[in-house]
Amino acid sequence: MQQKNNVTEFVLLGLTQDPLTQKMVFFIFLIFYMGTVVGNMLIIVTIKCSRTLGSPMYFFLFYLSFADSCFSTSTAPRLIVDALSEKKVISYNECMTQVFALHLFGCMEIFVLILMAADRYVAICKPLHYPRIMRRQVCHILIVLAWIGSFMHSIAQIILALRLPFCGPNLIDHYCCDLQPLLKLACMDTYMINLLLVTNSGAICSSSFVILMISYVVILHSLRNHSAEGRKKALSTCTSHIIVVVLFFGPCIFIYTRPPTTFPMDKMVAVFYTIGTPFLNPLIYTLRNAEVKNAMRKLWHVK
């Protein structure tokens, strides 16, 4: 405990040290973050107010948009503010809070994507049983279980982070606090903690990605028995989901399923799944979904 108290704050090096590039980072990511919040809040309000978007798919989309907004908020505001700050200081407690929030909402996004895939599987492969299986009560229970699972995952991550003693340099070569950059600063052998990290976060990312890909392969295979119009509609929905899954899980697997080594591209990869994907999700789900677009038009027309 005495070693831990030697470091009470960390200095985030951010994405770049160049003043001109930092100003570009400020404006670019301010636009990205504002687009993320506005886009996801628009989806949340539309689903909440529209009577036509009451199906389980949009129930889960509501929570995906909520998780996206919170996930981006856990990192983007500090990145934006630090881009114009000379000294990017974050206290020890704030750093641990960021680790917790990052994994809580990131894991929630993973679980919601799985629930959305399960919903599409039942709707396409077992259409006659869909109303009975995907009842509103069942959907609520699944979302509660997703929150519980995300919370347990975050608790495991924060326990690992709190076990790290910091007694030397406090410069984090990153734009946010996460276990990987913190492991580099810990004055102890971090092999076991990194192994636990890969077992926890890495296993969740990899197994979830495999489950999702298998489910979509099964769904696409079953579309052979549907009509041309049904195939077109199902393909449009599933394609949107697959795009989101690949964009989110690709960078996550790259970051969390490897030994404790760092690459120059790590920060940009992290930017893509912490800020880029939450920004793209509203665009993917609105531009490729006629029902959401029509509901938004009706909502704004009424307003």
Side-chain angles (χ1 to χ4, degrees):
M1 291 300 295
Q2 184 63 35
Q3 283 184 320
K4 288 184 181 180
N5 292 333
N6 288 346
V7 173
T8 59
E9 63 183 25
F10 299 98
V11 178
L12 297 168
L13 296 182
L15 290 177
T16 179
Q17 300 298 307
D18 180 64
L20 179 60
T21 309
Q22 284 182 345
K23 292 179 181 178
M24 294 175 59
V25 166
F26 172 81
F27 288 109
I28 291 173
F29 287 101
L30 178 62
I31 293 172
F32 267 69
Y33 179 62
M34 290 176 62
T36 299
V37 173
V38 171
N40 282 293
M41 290 305 298
L42 183 59
I43 291 177
I44 289 172
V45 172
T46 301
I47 294 174
K48 195 70 176 176
C49 299
S50 176
R51 296 180 180 179
T52 60
L53 302 180
S55 66
M57 181 177 73
Y58 298 112
F59 175 80
F60 294 133
L61 179 58
F62 175 92
Y63 283 96
L64 178 67
S65 296
F66 176 77
D68 270 336
S69 298
C70 297
F71 186 51
S72 182
T73 300
S74 66
T75 57
R78 175 162 288 277
L79 170 62
I80 293 166
V81 172
D82 285 348
L84 298 182
S85 303
E86 290 186 10
K87 195 173 184 181
K88 307 168 180 61
V89 177
I90 183 171
S91 69
Y92 179 86
N93 291 336
E94 289 174 333
C95 184
M96 295 300 109
T97 302
Q98 190 174 56
V99 171
F100 181 83
L102 185 69
H103 285 272
L104 173 66
F105 296 113
C107 190
M108 183 61 184
E109 183 165 349
I110 289 174
F111 288 150
V112 173
L113 288 172
I114 292 175
L115 293 178
M116 293 177 75
D119 171 74
R120 290 300 86 200
Y121 170 79
V122 177
I124 295 172
C125 300
K126 300 181 181 296
L128 297 179
H129 301 284
Y130 183 77
R132 180 176 59 85
I133 296 175
M134 299 305 295
R135 302 189 308 273
R136 183 51 62 103
Q137 184 181 6
V138 173
C139 293
H140 282 290
I141 293 173
L142 292 174
I143 284 295
V144 170
L145 292 176
W147 278 116
I148 293 173
S150 302
F151 184 77
M152 292 176 63
H153 165 73
S154 300
I155 289 293
Q157 297 297 297
I158 202 66
I159 288 174
L160 292 178
L162 292 173
R163 287 174 58 86
L164 296 174
F166 302 103
C167 51
N170 65 340
L171 297 177
I172 299 179
D173 188 15
H174 214 286
Y175 63 89
C176 68
C177 283
D178 201 0
L179 273 173
Q180 286 86 352
L182 288 174
L183 287 174
K184 294 178 63 178
L185 303 182
C187 47
M188 63 174 290
D189 183 5
T190 59
Y191 175 79
M192 284 304 300
I193 291 184
N194 185 76
L195 185 62
L196 292 172
L197 173 64
V198 172
T199 304
N200 189 347
S201 297
I204 289 176
C205 291
S206 301
S207 60
S208 299
F209 181 72
V210 171
I211 291 171
L212 287 166
M213 287 295 100
I214 291 175
S215 68
Y216 283 118
V217 168
V218 174
I219 290 172
L220 294 175
H221 183 264
S222 68
L223 289 177
R224 298 179 306 166
N225 302 323
H226 288 66
S227 64
E229 184 179 352
R231 282 199 301 269
K232 183 179 179 181
K233 184 177 180 180
L235 278 172
S236 177
T237 302
C238 291
T239 302
S240 300
H241 294 188
I242 292 171
I243 291 172
V244 171
V245 167
V246 173
L247 292 177
F248 182 78
F249 282 93
C252 284
I253 292 173
F254 176 79
I255 294 291
Y256 291 109
T257 58
R258 66 170 199 246
T261 56
T262 58
F263 298 103
M265 67 183 76
D266 281 357
K267 287 189 280 189
M268 291 309 301
V269 171
V271 162
F272 196 80
Y273 78 86
T274 58
I275 299 175
T277 305
F279 171 77
L280 293 174
N281 281 356
L283 298 177
I284 291 172
Y285 280 107
T286 54
L287 294 178
R288 297 185 61 85
N289 192 307
E291 289 181 332
V292 175
K293 287 189 289 187
N294 291 334
M296 285 183 177
R297 292 191 191 101
K298 292 178 182 179
L299 177 65
W300 286 107
H301 180 71
V302 171
K303 294 298 181 182

